[in-house]
Amino acid sequence: MLNIQDVSFRYPGAAQTTLNAVSLGLERGRVLGLLGPNGAGKTTLISHLVGLLPIQHGEIHINTLPLAQSRRECPMRIALAPQEYAFYPMLTVAENLSFFASACQFHGSRKVVRITACMALGQLERFASTRANQLSGGLKRRLNLAIAMLAEPELLLLDEPTVGVDPQSRAFLLDAVKALAQAGTTVIYTTHYIEEIEAIADDVAILDHGTILRHAPLASLLAEGGALLTLRVAAPLDAVKTMLQSFGSVQQGGDGEIELQLNPEASPAAVLQAIAAHGIELQMARYGSHDLERLFMHLTHRQLRDD
């Protein structure tokens, strides 16, 4: 449904490219979790998809059509629910939906049907006559989503859709996104809450410094850690890492941990026996699959950073 090929972009006067040969593909009805530190290029990529930035290099296709042609033929094929509130605060929920439905050039029964459907999507019926600025943070996010879905887009872009909401509203929004994907909407979901990506994403792309570091199905990324042994020891790390190199690939993890990707012939038991034989005090050992946050930190070599 979406095919991005070798897209690069440099802002005027910038010393470096913001996007560097980014390539992504996404099938219809799947959720892509787009992860990256602040400044990684996520907003620039989304700005290309919604037509706010020109394509300097590379190609973007929607349903095999070039992006510009797709947007001309169906301007509402792609919708964005931005991190900022995208509605009029002094209008009621119903008035906001009516206004944006008119902006979509919906009239008569078609307009009524879409407003009713999106009111139900956000479970906003009880708040139809409430001014938007009087809604809670969670309800405002639900209104953002409802407005974005008025035109029944094929591709929905969600930028930090759960910022500032309570746990119940977060769970509601995640369930709503999963339901939209199951109904055929393709979703790109950007967030700093990695557990949300683990909960709803089919595919994950990790972006940093404008480059795609990994792009794969979520299940495949998590399974890569099947032979990952994480250790914490009370000993000089350099000496321990040198000793462990015969068992596999050794890297420094977070919080003073050592991450050992075992060779096929190596076993966790053999590693633990070697540690004991060298008189090294073992404080913690964990064996099994990655969690996405650890993989993200490993690939980006940093914690989530500020702009």
Side-chain angles (χ1 to χ4, degrees):
M1 186 269 174
L2 171 66
N3 186 22
I4 301 172
Q5 285 292 328
D6 296 323
V7 170
S8 297
F9 185 84
R10 185 194 302 268
Y11 286 99
Q16 298 179 336
T17 57
T18 303
L19 296 178
N20 182 25
V22 169
S23 295
L24 286 173
L26 187 58
E27 297 177 4
R28 184 177 304 279
R30 292 179 71 85
V31 178
L32 172 69
L34 182 60
L35 288 173
N38 289 328
K42 303 186 301 296
T43 298
T44 300
L45 180 60
I46 288 175
S47 296
H48 278 76
L49 293 173
V50 297
L52 295 177
L53 289 174
I55 299 174
Q56 293 178 346
H57 182 273
E59 298 179 340
I60 299 177
H61 288 80
I62 304 290
N63 297 332
T64 73
L65 294 178
L67 178 62
Q69 180 181 346
S70 177
R71 290 181 57 81
R72 285 195 303 270
E73 293 185 3
C74 186
M76 295 178 289
R77 178 168 282 149
I78 302 173
L80 169 66
Q83 181 175 347
E84 298 78 15
Y85 296 134
F87 48 73
Y88 291 98
M90 297 306 293
L91 296 181
T92 67
V93 168
E95 289 168 343
N96 268 290
L97 288 171
S98 178
F99 173 83
F100 285 103
S102 296
C104 295
Q105 300 184 357
F106 294 157
H107 306 285
S109 61
R110 173 65 169 161
K111 180 177 179 179
V112 173
V113 167
R114 290 310 303 152
I115 290 174
T116 302
C118 291
M119 191 85 74
L121 170 67
Q123 292 188 10
L124 294 165
E125 296 92 341
R126 292 194 298 117
F127 308 95
S129 60
T130 302
R131 283 187 177 181
N133 62 359
Q134 297 175 345
L135 299 174
S136 67
L139 288 169
K140 288 176 179 177
R141 292 294 172 191
R142 284 151 62 177
L143 178 56
N144 247 20
L145 177 62
I147 290 171
M149 287 304 300
L150 278 167
E152 296 183 281
E154 296 180 41
L155 175 61
L156 175 63
L157 310 174
L158 297 173
D159 187 9
E160 300 286 351
T162 63
V163 170
V165 306
D166 58 90
Q168 291 81 7
S169 293
R170 175 174 284 113
F172 174 87
L173 288 164
L174 294 177
D175 287 343
V177 172
K178 288 191 290 186
L180 289 171
Q182 290 168 358
T185 304
T186 306
V187 179
I188 296 181
Y189 191 103
T190 71
T191 182
H192 283 165
Y193 300 119
I194 296 180
E195 67 274 13
E196 294 183 2
I197 300 297
E198 290 181 314
I200 67 170
D202 300 297
D203 306 292
V204 176
I206 299 177
L207 180 70
D208 197 14
H209 296 299
T211 300
I212 297 292
L213 302 180
R214 293 302 304 274
H215 176 217
L218 173 63
S220 297
L221 291 178
L222 297 181
E224 287 178 3
L228 180 69
L229 180 61
T230 303
L231 304 166
R232 187 182 299 121
V233 296
L237 295 185
D238 289 341
V240 176
K241 288 192 290 185
T242 299
M243 184 270 292
L244 293 175
Q245 286 176 353
S246 61
F247 295 97
S249 175
V250 183
Q251 294 195 10
Q252 179 77 45
D255 299 325
E257 296 176 352
I258 298 172
E259 295 181 349
L260 174 61
Q261 191 73 37
L262 293 174
N263 293 328
E265 67 276 8
S267 69
V271 174
L272 299 181
Q273 290 171 358
I275 290 173
H278 283 76
I280 298 170
E281 180 185 346
L282 179 64
Q283 297 176 326
M284 184 275 294
R286 181 175 58 249
Y287 180 68
S289 66
H290 280 300
D291 65 80
L292 191 56
E293 182 172 5
R294 294 179 64 81
L295 177 61
F296 175 88
M297 297 302 183
H298 170 70
L299 289 173
T300 60
H301 303 292
R302 59 175 64 85
Q303 294 182 349
L304 295 177
R305 60 177 180 261
D306 294 328
D307 287 322

